[in-house]
């Protein structure tokens, strides 16, 4: 009996303690004064007159981890605003949503945006209204974390000293902490040359990259996983090049290859049936794709959120410029395609030291450039690559959006390392 009574007493005491503790927490929260926190957001600089869609703001109390959410952003006094009611305390703020804006008179772009802010002190005052919090929204890719880890564009030389460019390749690495999927990733090349600066009209550089080649990795979204820290090779020609040039290497086991249908029966693209082909959306070549072997053109990877047909129909870019030759001026016009900067996951500016005149992408994508060769006719460039550096502490690829700092120029390529 004593044992039974003692057990009942201890259980009752525990229940009372638990009830009291819960009551104290509830009373503390009730005792905290509620404060209205006004929020306003600044749109990305590249998005003029942007509209905000499906935005969610979450304030997380750093002491209790409790979250307070609002989804009621509205356009008032030329800005997008919302208000969240929370108890006094210190919070972190996260905002996610989508924006839409006009790239030009006919083309609308839709991009994901987000923002984060730490250590917001929400303090009650007599008005019950906290200081307004203003945050800047930034575009991002929902599948970010991928980087261009190496570009081998120079080709090699044969034992006879002849140029051999069929062994070009680009490598893509996963810089995230989780598995990423390559399905749908686009590999694009610039139309403009870093060695020839022109005043192109209309000037769209701060909104889009001008491209002349777009190739997309096939897949349904989960067919091509890439684990953290891993990288894959995309070959211009996925074959064993040592069979044609003993100074080259074997790319027959590349993850993907560029492949085109040539209009010239005497100059057709070879196809490795064991290596998946990239989907060719558009290309400048009438035969098959090759990179500029002196690096006059820059490269990027992108996530295109629309179909092949929509892209080709709506993103054509017609431009004009004046070609100056000595004392003569020739009006010129041409066309390519636009790749909105907001869709670009990573860009690498390329050039030649002596002849570099400008970056052909916005400085927000790349503020520098990497190179192989000091002059346009520098034969020492053969067998060299631009290779992204790694952080010695984290082991991750360095990505500061400045290829002059992020890449080792004139480096030994992956396939020529002993």
């Amino acid at each position: 009996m004593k044992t039974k009574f003692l057990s009942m007493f201890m259980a009752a005491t525990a229940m009372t303690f638990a009830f009291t503790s819960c009551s104290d927490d509830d009373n503390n929260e009730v005792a905290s004064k509620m404060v209205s926190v006004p929020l306003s957001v600044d749109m990305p600089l590249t998005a003029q007159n942007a509209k905000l869609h499906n935005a969610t703001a979450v304030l997380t109390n750093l002491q209790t981890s409790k979250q307070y959410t609002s989804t009621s952003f509205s356009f008032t006094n030329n800005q997008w605003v919302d208000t969240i009611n929370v108890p006094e305390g210190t919070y972190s703020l996260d905002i996610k949503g989508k924006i839409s804006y006009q790239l030009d008179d006919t083309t609308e772009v839709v991009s994901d945006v987000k923002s984060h802010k730490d250590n917001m002190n929400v303090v009650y005052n007599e008005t019950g209204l906290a200081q307004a919090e203003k945050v800047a929204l930034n575009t991002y890719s929902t599948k970010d974390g991928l980087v261009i880890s190496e570009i081998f564009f120079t080709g090699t030389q044969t034992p006879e000293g002849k140029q051999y460019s069929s062994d070009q390749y680009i490598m893509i690495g996963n810089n995230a902490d989780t598995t990423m999927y390559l399905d749908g990733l686009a590999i694009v090349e610039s139309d403009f040359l870093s060695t020839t600066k022109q005043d192109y009209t209309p000037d769209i550089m701060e909104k889009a990259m001008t491209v002349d080649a777009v190739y997309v990795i096939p897949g349904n979204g989960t067919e091509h996983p890439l684990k953290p820290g891993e990288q894959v090779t995309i070959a211009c020609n996925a074959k064993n090049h040592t069979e044609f040039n003993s100074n080259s290497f074997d790319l027959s086991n590349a993850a993907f290859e560029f492949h085109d249908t040539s209009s010239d029966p005497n100059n057709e693209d070879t196809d490795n049936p064991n290596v998946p082909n990239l989907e060719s959306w558009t290309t400048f070549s009438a035969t098959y794709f090759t990179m500029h072997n002196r690096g006059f053109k820059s490269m990027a990877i992108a996530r295109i959120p629309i179909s092949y047909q929509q892209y080709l129909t709506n993103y054509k870019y017609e431009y004009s410029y004046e070609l100056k030759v000595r004392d003569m001026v020739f009006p010129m016009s041409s066309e390519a395609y636009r790749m909105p900067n907001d869709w670009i996951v990573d860009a690498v500016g390329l050039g030649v030291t002596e002849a570099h005149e400008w970056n052909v992408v916005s400085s927000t994508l790349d503020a520098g450039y990497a190179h192989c060769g000091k002059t346009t006719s520098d034969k020492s460039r053969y067998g060299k690559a631009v290779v992204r550096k790694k952080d010695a502490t984290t082991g991750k690829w360095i990505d500061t959006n400045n290829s002059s700092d992020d890449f080792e120029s004139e480096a030994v390529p992956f396939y020529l390392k002993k």
Side-chain angles (χ1 to χ4, degrees):
M1 289 291 293
K2 288 183 179 179
T3 302
K4 184 176 181 180
F5 175 78
L6 181 59
S7 299
M8 293 175 62
F9 175 77
M10 292 178 66
T13 302
M15 289 176 64
T16 302
F17 177 76
F19 178 78
T20 303
S21 298
C22 289
S23 296
D24 287 345
D25 287 343
D26 291 342
N27 288 338
N28 287 338
E29 186 165 332
V30 170
S32 298
K33 295 180 179 179
M34 298 297 291
V35 185
S36 294
V37 182
L39 303 173
S40 65
V41 297
D42 283 339
M43 292 296 181
L45 294 176
T46 56
Q48 300 296 321
N49 301 317
K51 296 179 181 178
L52 186 63
H53 308 276
N54 304 321
T56 298
V58 178
L59 278 171
T60 303
N61 189 295
L62 299 183
Q63 285 75 42
T64 67
S65 298
K66 189 170 182 179
Q67 294 185 330
Y68 302 83
T69 303
S70 183
T71 58
S72 303
F73 279 93
S74 60
F75 190 66
T76 305
N77 295 326
N78 292 319
Q79 59 182 342
W80 291 90
V81 297
D82 196 1
T83 301
I84 302 182
N85 295 320
V86 299
E88 284 186 301
T90 303
Y91 292 82
S92 65
L93 170 65
D94 288 279
I95 300 176
K96 281 190 176 183
K98 293 180 179 293
I99 60 170
S100 61
Y101 62 95
Q102 293 298 128
L103 189 62
D104 56 26
D105 293 339
T106 60
T107 308
E108 183 179 70
V109 174
V110 177
S111 297
D112 293 291
V113 287
K114 65 180 178 180
S115 185
H116 176 81
K117 195 171 186 178
D118 277 321
N119 298 316
M120 285 176 44
N121 291 316
V122 177
V123 181
Y124 177 84
N125 60 37
E126 293 181 358
T127 65
L129 192 67
Q131 177 181 345
E133 295 292 339
K134 192 170 187 178
V135 294
L137 295 179
N138 298 301
T139 58
Y140 74 103
S141 169
T142 56
K143 297 182 182 287
D144 53 11
L146 298 175
V147 295
I148 296 174
S149 53
E150 180 174 328
I151 308 176
F152 181 71
F153 57 84
T154 60
T156 50
Q157 279 188 312
T158 67
E160 297 76 30
K162 294 182 179 180
Q163 177 180 290
Y164 184 85
S165 299
S166 296
D167 49 8
Q168 296 172 326
Y169 64 83
I170 182 171
M171 299 185 81
I172 309 297
N174 181 3
N175 220 25
D177 295 323
T178 58
T179 296
M180 308 296 291
Y181 291 91
L182 297 171
D183 308 51
L185 185 72
I187 295 90
V188 305
E189 180 189 60
S190 71
D191 179 56
F192 299 153
L193 305 178
S194 61
T195 55
T196 307
K197 188 179 187 303
Q198 303 286 1
D199 293 325
Y200 296 105
T201 303
D203 181 0
I204 64 169
M205 185 174 290
E206 293 310 312
K207 292 184 177 181
M209 177 180 177
T210 302
V211 300
D212 64 10
V214 178
Y215 291 82
V216 177
I217 295 176
N220 61 15
T222 57
E223 289 184 39
H224 305 296
L226 189 63
K227 294 179 180 179
E230 290 186 344
Q231 58 183 352
V232 296
T233 300
I234 303 172
C236 281
N237 239 302
K239 60 186 179 184
N240 185 354
H241 295 280
T242 61
E243 296 177 1
F244 311 91
N245 175 15
S246 60
N247 291 332
S248 189
F249 36 78
D250 185 1
L251 291 177
S252 61
N253 292 317
F256 306 95
E257 72 171 338
F258 293 84
H259 182 70
D260 294 288
T261 301
S262 175
S263 60
D264 181 0
N266 298 315
N267 196 15
E268 293 185 345
D269 197 4
T270 59
D271 185 21
N272 184 338
N274 299 316
V275 176
N277 293 332
L278 299 179
E279 297 173 357
S280 177
W281 281 28
T282 183
T283 180
F284 69 95
S285 176
T287 54
Y288 50 84
F289 175 80
T290 58
M291 301 182 208
H292 196 290
N293 72 4
R294 287 173 287 175
F296 289 4
K297 295 191 174 187
S298 298
M299 304 293 293
I301 54 177
R303 293 285 185 183
I304 305 176
I306 57 177
S307 70
Y308 158 79
Q309 195 57 53
Q310 286 176 308
Y311 181 76
L312 293 188
T313 301
N314 298 322
Y315 285 81
K316 187 171 289 186
Y317 169 46
E318 297 178 349
Y319 60 88
S320 60
Y321 62 99
E322 292 183 341
L323 178 62
K324 298 178 182 179
V325 180
R326 297 185 180 89
D327 295 331
M328 297 177 289
V329 177
F330 302 92
M332 306 292 291
S333 63
S334 188
E335 63 179 34
Y337 283 90
R338 296 166 296 172
M339 187 62 61
N341 293 343
D342 294 341
W343 294 355
I344 293 177
V345 177
D346 186 37
V348 179
L350 298 174
V352 176
T353 307
E354 178 192 60
H356 188 269
E357 292 190 4
W358 68 321
N359 269 15
V360 296
V361 298
S362 168
S363 59
T364 59
L365 298 178
D366 195 350
Y369 72 98
H371 69 275
C372 286
K374 304 294 191 300
T375 66
T376 58
S377 58
D378 192 343
K379 292 184 178 181
S380 70
R381 71 181 185 277
Y382 294 122
K384 294 179 181 178
V386 296
V387 179
R388 189 178 292 272
K389 301 172 186 176
K390 282 192 172 184
D391 185 280
T393 302
T394 65
K396 288 181 176 292
W397 284 286
I398 297 173
D399 185 16
T400 67
N401 290 344
N402 187 327
S403 291
S404 299
D405 299 328
D406 297 345
F407 279 80
E408 180 184 353
S409 293
E410 301 184 346
V412 177
F414 178 84
Y415 287 94
L416 287 179
K417 290 180 179 178
K418 305 299 183 182

